[in-house]
């Protein structure tokens, strides 16, 4: 019995799908041929795949041929024969079978192709991750915010963190604490290759070369960075060792001549910009050769090391010191405002050398000779300055006394200046100990009453040869050397002793003003003032301290603390030379000041100079606002007095009334000045 045509067709379709899915090549062709024969009930017939058709002839004489294709793709053809004839229905059946075969073959070949591609991709990925893990370099990726997205074996080895520990954390956790931040460094260094410091899991910090490249998605949008890191610590250390060998003296650890030259040139560029002076000191040890020759190299080396330590210890951090070779050293100073400061440093260095060197049981004495060259006067580059300082050092050696300790500037003018200053300094020390200092007193007048209300004590130096030397010629130097502190102590003492005499002589109490320089204004001052007043039995109202604006410039809070302690005693403070510095007005109101003193340079211009007049009257109104008294110094004319009076100034001091006077004359002036008043009272 013939099967039902539909179930027949389904059977054949299922067989065809099954064959395509399971069979390949010859077996598939045979099965397809068998199905075609069955569908068309033909004794002969086969399926010929497209790649095997080359040798075949055309269609058999009696039979059917049907191509198997899907759209443009030809897979093969069915050929059936062996029946007497084939109807149009047979032809239709074979066409349906071929169409089904074409679709199934097409779908199957697509599926196979993508499976194949997938397998290939998978193999490739496997490949690449193997390469990544096998390579020595550490490679990691991060997103745009620096969060780590992948981490290869090299990174595990380098940092000590496994991928599980690292992925998801921010890259910053690998930074050495000193590093600034990942963005900055990346941008600064142009986003390519850089040398960085990173930290391992065990805390060890190392140098790495880091190269970064952008990580993009398939649309070429940047989504992060790929980082390649290699440990270059070894190389860095080697470089540092080489650098150290090239630029440092192995014996003392100080910079050598090459580094000094570089650093000096750099510092000169800065000094030029900030209009500062610079100088180079060339130091040569005396008697070094003798010690080295007689006690041997070991002692010589130890001596040089100790000398280097001593030099370093008396210099400030920003000063340069280098060993040039042998027993020659050099020092660079770059923030000095006066060249004579360099000679002070030179003397400090020589003092450092003067203490005995205890080496190998020997008590060795070495001195030194120092030559100084100054930028910009002598030269503008390190080589020139070093050469000239060397020449100056030779001159210093020649001029030196038996011990050879000497300092010389390259410039003759500076040399003379230095010698002059040294003479003054020595002379002043001598003057302090030998009663050559004295005080003159310049009266201060109240404008309203016309009476003397006080005096300013002004120091003079009675020089055995030069006569009376004004303070302008020795106070600035005393300030620079620190001697001003001793001068100040003497002045306070002398002024109080004088006040005691006047008090005991029954003169009306006045305020004696003493000038106090910035260097004296320390926390020891209030105690010294208290003690001195007590010793002379004086009420604090006898004393006033004049301080200058420069005193107020540093460490305001400390200064205010000292001021408060002084005013708490009942001693008043006045601000000298007001207007010449630049006190901030906001600070001014915090200072416990009694009087503002208009500087002589403004008084001089009154009344012709409109600016000076404006400044003077502004100072007066500031003083009034802040409830301070105001005094004008240097008043020489009646016009000046008239202007000051009409502007509301309280007190005046100047040649119009009186020059600074010796004590006896001042006393007389005081008596005369008060006589009429007493006469008034008597009348
Ligand atoms: P200073 O404190 O501003 O003193 C005022 C100076 O102006 C005094 O000069 C005084 O003689 C001078 N002078 C006063 N009235 C007139 C005038 O009408 N015309 C002119 N042309 N000058 C007048 P002196 O005595 O030469 O003192 C100069 C500076 O020396 C003082 O300026 C002060 O800064 C300092 N000085 C004086 N004695 C001492 C002291 O004992 N210790 C400290 N640290 N400095 C002192
Ligand atoms: Mg003064
Ligand atoms: Mg003054």
């Amino acid at each position: 019995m013939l099967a039902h045509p539909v179930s027949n067709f389904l059977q054949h379709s299922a067989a065809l799908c099954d064959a395509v899915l399971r069979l390949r090549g010859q077996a598939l062709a045979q099965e397809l041929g068998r199905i075609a024969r069955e569908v068309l009930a033909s004794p002969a017939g086969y399926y010929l795949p497209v790649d095997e058709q080359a040798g075949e002839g055309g269609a058999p004489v009696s039979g059917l041929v049907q191509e198997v294709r899907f759209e443009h793709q030809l897979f093969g053809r069915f050929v059936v024969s062996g029946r007497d004839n084939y109807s149009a229905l047979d032809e239709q059946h074979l066409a349906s079978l071929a169409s089904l075969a074409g679709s199934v073959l097409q779908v199957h070949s697509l599926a196979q192709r993508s499976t194949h591609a997938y397998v290939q991709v998978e193999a490739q990925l496997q490949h690449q991750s193997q390469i990544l893990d096998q390579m020595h370099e550490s490679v990691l990726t991060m997103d745009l915010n620096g969060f780590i997205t992948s981490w290869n074996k090299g990174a595990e080895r380098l940092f000590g963190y496994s991928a599980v520990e690292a992925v998801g954390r921010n890259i910053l956790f690998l930074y050495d604490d000193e590093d600034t931040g990942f963005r900055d460094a990346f941008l600064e260094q142009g986003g390519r290759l850089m040398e960085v410091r990173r930290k391992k899991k065990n805390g060890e910090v190392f140098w790495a070369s880091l190269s970064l490249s952008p990580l993009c998605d398939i649309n070429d949008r940047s989504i992060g960075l790929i980082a390649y890191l290699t440990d270059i610590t070894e190389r860095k250390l080697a470089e540092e060792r080489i650098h150290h060998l090239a630029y440092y003296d192995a014996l003392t650890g100080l910079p050598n001549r090459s580094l000094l030259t570089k650093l000096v040139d750099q510092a000169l560029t800065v000094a030029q910009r900030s209009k500062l002076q610079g100088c180079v000191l060339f130091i040569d040890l005396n008697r070094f050769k003798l010690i080295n020759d007689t006690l041997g190299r070991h002692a010589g080396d130890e001596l040089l090391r100790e000398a280097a330590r001593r030099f370093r210890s008396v210099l400030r951090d920003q000063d340069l010191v280098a060993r040039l070779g042998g027993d020659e050293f050099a020092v660079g100073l770059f923030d000095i405002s006066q060249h004579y400061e360099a000679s002070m440093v030179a003397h400090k260095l020589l003092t450092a050398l003067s203490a005995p060197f205890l080496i190998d049981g020997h008590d060795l004495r070495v001195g030194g000779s120092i030559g100084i060259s100054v930028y910009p006067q002598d030269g503008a580059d390190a080589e020139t300055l070093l050469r000239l300082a060397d020449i100056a050092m030779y001159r210093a050696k020649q001029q030196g006394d038996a011990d050879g300790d000497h300092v010389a500037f390259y410039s003759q003018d500076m040399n003379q200046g230095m010698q002059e200053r040294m003479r003054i300094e020595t002379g002043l020390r001598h003057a302090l100990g030998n009663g050559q200092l004295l005080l003159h007193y310049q009266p201060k007048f109240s404008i309203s009453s016309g009476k003397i209300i006080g005096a300013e004590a002004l120091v003079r130096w009675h020089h055995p040869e030069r006569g009376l030397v004004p303070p302008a010629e020795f106070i600035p130097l005393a300030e620079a050397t620190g001697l001003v502190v001793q001068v100040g102590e003497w002045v306070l003492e002398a002024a109080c002793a004088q006040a005691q005499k006047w008090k005991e002589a029954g003169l009306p109490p006045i305020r004696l003003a003493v000038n106090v320089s910035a260097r004296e204004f320390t926390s020891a001052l209030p105690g010294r003032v208290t003690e001195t007043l007590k010793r002379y039995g004086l009420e604090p109202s006898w004393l006033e301290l004049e301080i200058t604006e420069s005193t107020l410039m540093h460490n305001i809070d400390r200064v205010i603390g000292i001021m408060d302690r002084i005013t708490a005693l009942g001693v008043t403070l006045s601000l000298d030379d007001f207007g010449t510095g630049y006190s901030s007005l906001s600070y001014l109101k915090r200072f416990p000041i009694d009087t503002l003193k208009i500087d002589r340079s403004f008084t001089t211009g009154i009344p012709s100079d409109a600016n000076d007049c404006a400044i003077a009257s502004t100072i007066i109104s500031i003083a009034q606002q802040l409830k301070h008294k105001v005094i004008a110094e240097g008043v020489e004319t009646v016009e000046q007095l008239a202007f000051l009076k009409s502007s509301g100034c309280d007190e005046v001091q100047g040649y119009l009334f009186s020059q600074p006077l010796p004590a006896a004359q001042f006393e007389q002036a005081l008596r005369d000045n008060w006589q009429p008043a007493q006469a008034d009272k008597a009348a």
Side-chain angles (χ1 to χ4, degrees), residues 442 456 459-460 471 491 515 576-577 600 633-634 636 654-655 660:
Q442 186 175 35
E456 178 175 7
V459 70
R460 272 96 184 89
V491 170
N515 291 285
D576 207 353
D577 305 344
R600 188 159 61 84
E633 67 176 10
E636 295 183 357
Y655 293 175

Side-chain angles (χ1 to χ4, degrees), residues 156-344:
E156 290 191 354
R157 279 191 298 272
L158 183 60
F159 287 97
Y161 292 100
S162 70
V164 178
E165 289 173 302
V167 171
R169 293 180 75 173
N170 196 288
I171 191 77
L172 289 174
F173 89 105
L174 301 172
Y175 279 50
D176 176 20
D177 296 334
E178 290 162 28
D179 264 338
T180 36
F182 120 93
R183 276 206 170 274
D184 299 351
F186 179 51
L187 293 177
E188 265 168 30
Q189 305 193 25
R192 271 184 287 279
L193 195 67
M194 52 189 145
E195 294 184 348
V196 294
R197 285 155 64 83
R198 291 291 181 268
K199 203 169 53 195
K200 297 190 180 186
K201 189 177 179 180
N202 64 12
E204 186 186 320
V205 174
F206 65 100
W207 277 101
S209 97
L210 167 65
S211 117
L212 290 169
S213 49
L215 181 67
C216 297
D217 65 6
I218 39 172
N219 298 318
D220 225 21
R221 270 190 314 238
S222 161
I223 53 163
L225 293 168
I226 311 174
Y228 309 87
L229 291 119
T230 335
D231 189 340
I232 52 162
T233 311
E234 287 280 314
R235 199 196 81 208
K236 273 285 185 192
L237 289 179
E239 273 174 15
E240 269 168 33
R241 274 194 296 273
I242 292 169
H243 181 270
H244 210 268
L245 282 178
Y247 288 116
Y248 288 85
D249 168 42
L251 181 66
T252 59
L254 293 180
N256 64 13
R257 190 184 189 110
S258 313
L259 183 56
L260 179 81
T261 312
K262 273 183 189 222
L263 295 175
V264 168
D265 279 329
Q266 273 171 18
L268 290 179
T269 322
V270 179
Q272 186 185 23
R273 247 181 274 131
S274 47
K275 305 249 178 311
L276 282 168
Q277 296 197 0
C279 28
V280 169
L281 279 60
F282 196 109
I283 310 160
D284 184 272
L285 303 187
N286 297 337
R287 286 184 299 278
F288 174 76
K289 197 175 161 349
L290 185 73
I291 293 169
N292 206 41
D293 289 349
T294 48
L295 298 181
R297 258 198 71 183
H298 172 76
D301 284 357
E302 195 40 54
L303 192 138
L304 291 173
R305 269 195 289 265
E306 176 60 19
R309 269 193 294 272
R310 291 189 187 180
F311 289 155
R312 195 59 277 176
S313 72
V314 294
L315 293 167
R316 298 162 308 166
D317 287 346
Q318 64 265 38
D319 301 334
L320 292 174
V321 55
R323 180 174 170 230
L324 303 176
D327 62 345
E328 292 174 344
F329 293 83
V331 167
L333 310 170
F334 301 98
D335 54 351
I336 57 171
S337 46
Q338 300 286 330
H339 62 260
Y340 67 77
E341 290 169 25
S343 63
M344 280 154 49

Side-chain angles (χ1 to χ4, degrees), residues 444 456-458 513-516 546-548 574 576-577 597 633 653:
K444 296 182 180 180
E456 178 175 7
L458 294 156
V514 166
N515 291 285
V516 173
E546 291 194 8
I547 57 178
T548 57
S574 75
D576 207 353
D577 305 344
K597 205 166 181 187
E633 67 176 10
Q653 173 186 355

Side-chain angles (χ1 to χ4, degrees), residues 347-365:
H347 284 107
K348 254 206 274 185
L349 293 167
L350 290 180
T351 311
L353 280 184
S354 65
F357 286 74
L358 299 169
I359 291 165
D360 289 349
H362 300 278
D363 185 344
L364 306 174
R365 310 263 163 176

